[in-house]
Amino acid sequence: DIGALLRAMDEQIDTASVIHVSCARLMRIDFIAAGELLNWVISHHAEGREVTFIEAHRLVALFCGAMGITEQARVTVRKG
């Protein structure tokens, strides 16, 4: 369940206008979690915040693109 993680991230980011989320330890994401993540990104984008996912695995980055997350947030892939 990604909901608890997203709520914890909301508490950490408080009123920040730029949000960088490290995906260095993320290996995969399922369809339901990606949908929840998309809704989270859309809500923050609507508030005028810039969301960036950094160090994502290439397959995770491609899945984010397929789910539409990259239309609202930037996703950068790991190097190496």
Side-chain angles (χ1 to χ4, degrees):
D1 180 28
I2 194 173
L5 176 62
L6 296 176
R7 286 188 295 277
M9 287 174 34
D10 281 336
E11 290 177 11
Q12 290 178 357
I13 61 174
D14 196 29
T15 61
S17 60
V18 177
I19 303 166
H20 295 283
V21 180
S22 174
C23 299
R25 297 175 66 188
L26 179 65
M27 296 303 295
R28 61 183 164 253
I29 186 168
D30 65 28
F31 187 78
I32 294 171
E36 289 184 52
L37 185 60
L38 174 60
N39 290 334
W40 183 84
V41 168
I42 288 171
S43 70
H44 286 289
H45 183 76
E47 294 172 353
R49 299 176 188 219
E50 177 185 323
V51 180
T52 303
F53 297 97
I54 59 174
E55 299 180 29
H57 186 280
R58 289 187 184 280
L59 292 177
V60 170
L62 287 170
F63 191 59
C64 286
M67 290 295 296
I69 293 172
T70 56
E71 293 179 26
Q72 305 291 324
R74 190 168 25 160
V75 179
T76 62
V77 296
R78 297 178 190 162
K79 293 181 171 75

